[in-house]
Amino acid sequence: EPEVTQTPSHQVTQMGQEVILRCVPISNHLYFYWYRQILGQKVEFLVSFYNNEISEKSEIFDDQFSVERPDGSNFTLKIRSTKLEDSAMYFCASSARQGARTEAFFGQGTRLTVV
Amino acid sequence: AQTVTQSQPEMSVQEAETVTLSCTYDTSESDYYLFWYKQPPSRQMILVIRQEAYKQQNATENRFSVNFQKAAKSFSLKISDSQLGDAAMYFCAYLGAAGNKLTFGGGTRVLVKP
């Protein structure tokens, strides 16, 4: 069964460092998403991406964040200068189409710890 | 902006019994979709069940069923014949008709006692 794959599963980084979280969406999917879950809190939408551009982003997704699909298969989330409050679980998701008639498949998440 | 509220931080159920998780939401849209996701200790998000707002019939997936009350903006999940593998965090989520992002509730932890 196809699945969304995220690497690494756990990343520890120093405050102020850049970090790149990687995702391989399901191959025929066209819509890609990043969500964040701070420990003990709800899952929050960060950004959606379609046709090589951001289609929507939340207030959380400020200039420190960027996304790209560098090679047609990977979908990355970059945090330029990490802060302690960026520590969270980051989930990538993809869907074949927009809307609820197609399921969004989630990856297993990357746990980011900023120290 | 849409909001989703899950008022029960934790629910406990005996194996083989039934548990109901509550979810309320706030929206001004008339067309939308609602979901329940399961997050086991592995932290992966797994879709359990979905409901389209224009459908009056409540969705059912095996032991999982929902009670969708559109006027009350309520969307509860019933887990029947609870199994040990049902132990997880359960998140209620809202998706507008534009279908671009999910809004999640705060989650309910389900504990299943053998």
Side-chain angles (χ1 to χ4, degrees):
Chain A
E1 186 174 326
E3 60 180 17
V4 176
T5 306
Q6 291 185 243
T7 55
S9 56
H10 190 191
Q11 172 102 36
V12 181
T13 189
Q14 295 268 345
M15 189 170 57
Q17 294 296 303
E18 176 182 285
V19 66
I20 297 176
L21 309 183
R22 290 184 167 79
C23 169
V24 180
I26 294 172
S27 63
N28 62 343
H29 283 188
L30 302 176
Y31 295 85
F32 313 110
Y33 313 86
W34 283 101
Y35 288 84
R36 179 181 84 174
Q37 184 184 29
I38 295 172
L39 186 63
Q41 298 186 24
K42 64 174 64 176
V43 179
E44 302 170 293
F45 169 79
L46 290 178
V47 65
S48 59
F49 191 85
Y50 169 71
N51 200 25
N52 282 320
E53 61 182 25
I54 291 173
S55 46
E56 187 172 351
K57 60 183 181 179
S58 71
E59 297 172 346
I60 304 167
F61 195 87
D62 60 22
D63 293 343
Q64 291 288 86
F65 292 89
S66 63
V67 289
E68 65 175 358
R69 195 144 190 258
D71 55 14
S73 61
N74 290 285
F75 178 52
T76 62
L77 174 68
K78 181 193 291 185
I79 309 175
R80 285 187 185 73
S81 177
T82 50
K83 303 186 284 287
L84 293 177
E85 53 265 37
D86 294 327
S87 294
M89 196 78 170
Y90 288 82
F91 291 99
C92 173
S94 71
S95 62
R97 300 184 302 277
Q98 185 167 282
R101 304 201 189 282
T102 180
E103 179 179 344
F105 290 82
F106 282 80
Q108 78 279 20
T110 293
R111 184 186 301 277
L112 176 66
T113 303
V114 182
V115 296
Chain B
Q2 290 77 26
T3 58
V4 178
T5 303
Q6 294 178 246
S7 59
Q8 306 150 316
E10 187 174 287
M11 294 287 283
S12 186
V13 60
Q14 204 71 36
E15 197 175 4
E17 297 292 305
T18 295
V19 64
T20 300
L21 312 183
S22 65
C23 171
T24 57
Y25 57 94
D26 188 26
T27 183
S28 57
E29 297 178 312
S30 58
D31 189 18
Y32 51 87
Y33 309 88
L34 297 163
F35 304 84
W36 280 97
Y37 280 87
K38 173 184 178 181
Q39 187 182 43
S42 65
R43 303 299 297 273
Q44 187 153 9
M45 300 289 285
I46 303 165
L47 178 65
V48 174
I49 197 166
R50 87 179 83 199
Q51 174 80 41
E52 289 140 320
Y54 66 86
K55 288 188 177 178
Q56 291 187 333
Q57 187 172 6
N58 289 322
T60 299
E61 287 287 342
N62 301 313
R63 298 183 294 107
F64 298 88
S65 61
V66 299
N67 184 5
F68 173 50
Q69 301 290 326
K70 191 173 184 179
K73 295 180 181 173
S74 169
F75 182 60
S76 62
L77 174 71
K78 184 169 78 172
I79 307 174
S80 304
D81 185 26
S82 298
Q83 300 175 359
L84 295 177
D86 295 334
M89 282 290 286
Y90 286 81
F91 291 95
C92 178
Y94 171 101
L95 182 69
N100 210 23
K101 66 179 182 184
L102 289 160
T103 300
F104 287 86
T108 298
R109 182 176 303 281
V110 172
L111 305 173
V112 181
K113 297 179 180 177

